[in-house]
Amino acid sequence: WITNYPGKAVIRAVSCAGTSVQVIKEKKTVTVVGSQDGSLTVNVSESGALQSTVQKAIGTSEITVLKVKTSNGVLLNDEDISYLRELNGLQKLDLFYAGCSGLDLSGNTSLTSVILPKSLEEIQPCAFKDCKGLKSIEIPASVDRIAANAFVNCTALPDSIKVWGVEPPQITGT
């Protein structure tokens, strides 16, 4: 059993045998607590709902590790990306299963690790500008273009970056 939000949940256990249903345990109310270690996985079912989804799940606690998934063709929009950029204290961000057409995380100095969306086709100019703590980035095979200055002032990045592709992406500019 997996829950998306802390709060009260009602559980009713039943057993199905043939065509009859037998109630094993009548309704039981349990309290679900949010993440205690700052890590969170959320499934966003509507563009623009990332912030409210995260706040329902973790409240006012600081998030250090965030895994975002989207469903039913939902794409993270500019509002969602702005929220990610402003999450001070966020160190690890996994967007592999999130729909996203563009990504600008510039200026987030707390990020140390990013896994880009598997549907992302291009890393835009200055997308990670001034992400000075960024030490690791995984680029999926779908990325075929990396714009000029995408990683400007990413002083912690190593000389080589992991790209999951058969052919390297085209790098535009200098």
Side-chain angles (χ1 to χ4, degrees), residues 4-6 40-46 48-59 83:
N4 282 332
Y5 309 112
L40 180 65
T41 298
V42 293
N43 188 356
V44 179
S45 57
E46 182 180 332
L50 178 61
Q51 183 174 3
S52 62
T53 303
V54 168
Q55 288 176 340
K56 282 180 190 175
I58 205 162
Y83 174 67

Side-chain angles (χ1 to χ4, degrees), residues 63-64 66 81-93 104-114 126-135 152-154:
I63 302 166
T64 56
L66 180 61
I81 302 304
S82 291
Y83 174 67
L84 289 173
R85 189 173 42 248
E86 295 166 6
L87 277 174
N88 296 325
L90 181 63
Q91 296 171 9
K92 296 182 180 185
L93 177 62
D104 176 3
L105 296 173
S106 60
N108 187 320
T109 57
S110 62
L111 275 176
T112 60
S113 172
V114 175
C126 302
F128 294 93
K129 179 181 179 185
D130 296 325
C131 292
K132 296 179 183 199
L134 191 60
K135 296 177 185 174
V152 69
N153 290 331
C154 291

Side-chain angles (χ1 to χ4, degrees), residues 47-48 75-85 101-103:
S47 294
L75 295 176
L76 297 178
N77 65 13
D78 290 341
E79 184 180 339
D80 297 321
I81 302 304
S82 291
Y83 174 67
L84 289 173
R85 189 173 42 248
S101 60
L103 191 61

